Amino acid sequence: YGRATVGAGIKVNVEYVSANPTGPLHVGHTRGAVFGDALASMLDFAGYDVTREYYINDGGAQVDVLARSVYLRYLEAHGQEVAFEDGTYPGDYLIAVGQALKEKVGDSYLGNREAKLDAVHVTIVYHEDYDELLLEIKKWEELFKQNSDLIFLGKNFKDIEKAHLENKTTIFFGFQNCSPIEDDIRLVEKVHELGCRFMQLTYNNQSLLATGCYEKIDSGVTNFGREAIKEMNRVGIVVDMSHSAEKSTLDAIEISEKPIAITHANPAFWHPAKRNKSSELLKTLGESGGMLGLSLYPHHLKNNSNCELESFCEMTAKTAEIMDVKNIGIGSDLCLDQPDSVVEWMRNGTWSKSQNYGEGSKNKPGFPNQPDWFKDARGFENLEKGLMKVGFSQEETNGILGNNWFNFYKNI
């Protein structure tokens, strides 16, 4: 009863509930919902073809800004002074949210800022090809844009100095595999232009460039590998052999005109993992001016997640008897707050249909727990105390914890 045809089926869109993260919910939102629904019903009754539009904005730019604003209130809850830039939400309503976040997660989100890290080498590639790399680059461009007060892309050692002065962290892109250059030598320069500054020649398996540490036969650096190393030297990409086999690594040291790096591995004398390196190789690496980044990934540690700080630091001291302490740094291989799907991709990529557990096992397929003394980047403070306790001077300790990498990178 009472319906009309005045609308004649004309399409009408009525948007009457939009929950945006720009402020707290209030009674006005409820009033708007009631009014909007009543209006839509009246138009429908009058013969219009009505679409009701209402949504909760839980993704996109506004939510990203909300997250940044909450993080600032979280820092404030920890006693830090914060400044709200244009575009963030400075409303007092987020003070309680920041306090609640602190109560829920404690200081676990303070991370790099509290650790005072000036630079971080991040993995952006495991098995991705060039086109897939471009997609990863876009993700990072958005992260840099959204977090310009915290991080920026690093291109050379001067950016480390800049980050220190500006109280930020510069991010250096690294590839754990050579897959983005495919079989095209010209792509070495392209990936450098995109920000790549470290590239491994292999990731456990045989690649077009060299042999990985999981292969039974190590044929060494290939013809393509020789050309790739030459091009990496030219453009300024560090040759990284962390996941490579012994002969391939020795070949790379010999072929490269610039010092190479093993960015994250430990000596095999301490823990005989497949990824860890022989004393002979480390000696050659040190004599060539190359760098070793000692890994804190539990599968590379003696007693894995139960590794003791003293044992790690004693291992570091013994390593300094094999190669100069100036060629030793930390390569934490730290992977925090990531789902196990990431480690599955690392180990399997698209090359295997059967499940490969890498350094894990069927019973323990996911990421292992970090040792208590290095749960996140703030563990550098524990390392500093531990290294000095086993006899390293303050200058040597500072070198291992960062300065040695800085000095190495200045010459790349």
Side-chain angles (χ1 to χ4, degrees):
Y1 175 78
R3 280 189 174 274
T5 58
V6 65
I10 297 173
K11 293 184 180 295
V12 176
N13 185 78
V14 181
E15 178 189 331
Y16 55 88
V17 173
S18 297
N20 292 312
T22 54
L25 291 173
H26 52 75
V27 68
H29 292 95
T30 305
R31 187 163 52 238
V34 173
F35 181 83
D37 190 63
L39 177 61
S41 295
M42 291 173 61
L43 289 168
D44 179 63
F45 220 63
Y48 290 92
D49 182 2
V50 179
T51 298
R52 291 170 166 83
E53 182 176 336
Y54 46 90
Y55 62 90
I56 298 174
N57 190 347
D58 59 355
Q62 287 185 326
V63 172
D64 291 335
V65 173
L66 174 65
R68 290 169 54 205
S69 304
V70 169
Y71 184 67
L72 289 172
R73 291 300 188 189
Y74 168 75
L75 296 177
E76 192 174 55
H78 280 280
Q80 297 187 23
E81 293 187 11
V82 298
F84 286 88
E85 299 178 352
D86 290 342
T88 53
Y89 304 145
D92 291 345
Y93 62 94
L94 291 181
I95 294 176
V97 179
Q99 185 63 42
L101 184 61
K102 175 189 173 184
E103 293 172 1
K104 181 176 181 179
V105 303
D107 59 3
S108 61
Y109 288 174
L110 295 178
N112 291 347
R113 277 197 164 185
E114 191 168 318
K116 300 178 181 178
L117 293 184
D118 298 320
V120 175
H121 165 199
V122 302
T123 294
I124 65 169
V125 161
Y126 288 103
H127 305 286
E128 289 81 356
D129 61 20
Y130 184 76
D131 289 337
E132 290 168 327
L133 164 66
L134 297 180
L135 297 177
E136 294 301 314
I137 294 289
K138 287 183 179 179
K139 294 177 185 177
W140 274 97
E141 287 175 345
E142 190 63 27
L143 287 172
F144 290 132
K145 180 180 177 181
Q146 295 170 3
N147 301 279
S148 59
D149 57 323
L150 299 173
I151 58 175
F152 64 93
L153 178 62
K155 298 292 185 69
N156 55 50
F157 74 93
K158 292 183 180 178
D159 286 321
I160 302 174
E161 297 172 331
K162 176 185 176 183
H164 183 74
L165 291 173
E166 296 182 359
N167 192 31
K168 296 181 181 180
T169 302
T170 186
I171 304 297
F172 288 95
F173 287 163
F175 296 174
Q176 295 250 11
N177 206 342
C178 61
S179 52
I181 70 168
E182 303 178 7
D183 60 356
D184 189 344
I185 192 67
R186 294 168 297 180
L187 291 180
V188 174
E189 185 170 13
K190 290 289 187 182
V191 299
H192 179 268
E193 291 171 355
L194 291 169
C196 175
R197 291 300 180 267
F198 294 80
M199 185 172 78
Q200 292 193 75
L201 301 196
T202 68
Y203 187 77
N204 296 339
N205 295 345
Q206 177 72 43
S207 75
L208 293 177
L209 307 186
T211 304
C213 60
Y214 274 48
E215 300 288 359
K216 292 182 179 179
I217 299 174
D218 180 5
S219 57
V221 172
T222 65
N223 288 334
F224 184 22
R226 289 175 178 272
E227 293 301 314
I229 290 172
K230 189 187 303 181
E231 185 70 352
M232 291 167 72
N233 287 168
R234 184 184 73 82
V235 301
I237 298 177
V238 176
V239 176
D240 185 356
M241 301 299 285
S242 296
H243 285 254
S244 300
E246 180 120 341
K247 182 181 185 302
S248 291
T249 305
L250 291 169
D251 284 354
I253 293 171
E254 181 181 354
I255 295 166
S256 182
E257 295 180 357
K258 293 181 179 180
I260 75 159
I262 296 173
T263 59
H264 53 295
N266 290 325
F269 71 74
W270 182 59
H271 180 56
K274 287 184 178 181
R275 282 262 288 98
N276 287 343
K277 310 303 179 183
S278 72
S279 296
E280 293 77 14
L281 180 107
L282 296 180
K283 185 174 186 294
T284 303
L285 177 70
E287 290 172 348
S288 70
M291 276 290 295
L292 170 67
L294 296 174
S295 172
L296 292 156
Y297 188 60
H299 288 313
H300 306 155
L301 303 175
K302 180 185 286 189
N303 297 323
N304 304 110
S305 300
N306 296 318
C307 178
E308 295 181 356
L309 174 61
E310 184 177 7
S311 176
F312 182 88
C313 294
E314 287 175 347
M315 173 273 291
T316 307
K318 190 170 181 180
T319 305
E321 296 174 4
I322 298 172
M323 57 194 302
D324 196 305
V325 67
K326 293 180 180 179
N327 298 102
I328 300 172
I330 298 297
S332 67
D333 209 8
L334 194 62
C335 196
L336 297 178
D337 302 321
Q338 299 294 323
D340 286 344
S341 59
V342 172
V343 77
E344 290 174 10
W345 170 248
M346 289 161 54
R347 292 168 176 166
N348 295 278
T350 56
W351 62 268
S352 176
K353 286 187 175 180
S354 59
Q355 186 70 25
N356 185 297
Y357 296 107
E359 294 167 306
S361 66
K362 186 175 181 178
N363 294 328
K364 296 181 179 180
F367 282 111
N369 293 323
Q370 285 296 123
D372 291 338
W373 46 272
F374 205 92
K375 289 290 188 183
D376 55 40
R378 288 167 294 169
F380 275 99
E381 183 177 347
N382 293 325
L383 283 176
E384 181 178 13
K385 294 175 182 176
L387 291 170
M388 295 189 71
K389 187 176 180 179
V390 299
F392 287 106
S393 68
Q394 185 68 65
E395 182 179 359
E396 290 171 333
T397 299
N398 290 345
I400 294 169
L401 297 182
N403 288 346
N404 292 345
W405 274 119
F406 177 77
N407 292 329
F408 168 82
Y409 192 55
K410 280 199 296 186
N411 298 316
I412 298 301

